[in-house]
Amino acid sequence: MKAKEHESERPSATMPRDIDDGVSWFDRFATRASEFAARAPFFSMCILVVLLWAPSIVWLDMSTWQLIINTTTTIITFLMVALLQNTESRNDAALQHKLNAIASGLADVLQQLSDASGDPDLEERRKELRRAVGLEDDESA
């Protein structure tokens, strides 16, 4: 069935004007957290935590201290992965919409050129571009 689907032309791409521009509070928070984590102050803060943690092993009970630091870093890592994944997924979707819109627009231009010139090569390229629009839905899991 997939081969038959690829032989037919796909519908037009979703254009940027068709995308809902409403962003939830969580998405805004995830974006800000991602921007913060990607900057030097966050990295510096991580280095500072490691530098403060390392010598404190001498003063605190090893098993208690290991439990505290491991639990804290695991929780922070778990939350950061979720936030960064949210931001990455939204960026990937936006990029894919842009690429689909470009491919669809280019296919329209090739359609006009093909109609004017009657060149079968242009028509074949136009069909390939139309099949490429939305291909990410077939390629992704």
Side-chain angles (χ1 to χ4, degrees), residues 110-123:
L110 286 177
Q111 174 72 46
Q112 292 176 356
L113 290 174
S114 174
D115 290 347
S117 70
D119 186 357
D121 187 44
L122 286 176
E123 180 61 21

Side-chain angles (χ1 to χ4, degrees), residues 52-53 56-57 60-70:
L52 291 173
W53 167 74
S56 66
I57 293 173
L60 295 174
D61 177 39
M62 187 60 136
S63 62
T64 303
W65 184 238
Q66 286 294 337
L67 179 63
I68 291 169
I69 196 70
N70 286 341

Side-chain angles (χ1 to χ4, degrees), residues 71-106:
T71 303
T72 303
T73 56
T74 300
I75 290 169
I76 291 170
T77 302
F78 180 72
L79 293 174
M80 287 301 296
V81 166
L83 291 174
L84 295 175
Q85 184 61 44
N86 172 280
T87 304
E88 181 183 350
S89 294
R90 287 184 294 113
N91 287 340
D92 287 347
L95 181 60
Q96 194 58 57
H97 286 301
K98 290 175 189 177
L99 289 172
N100 284 340
I102 290 169
S104 183
L106 189 54

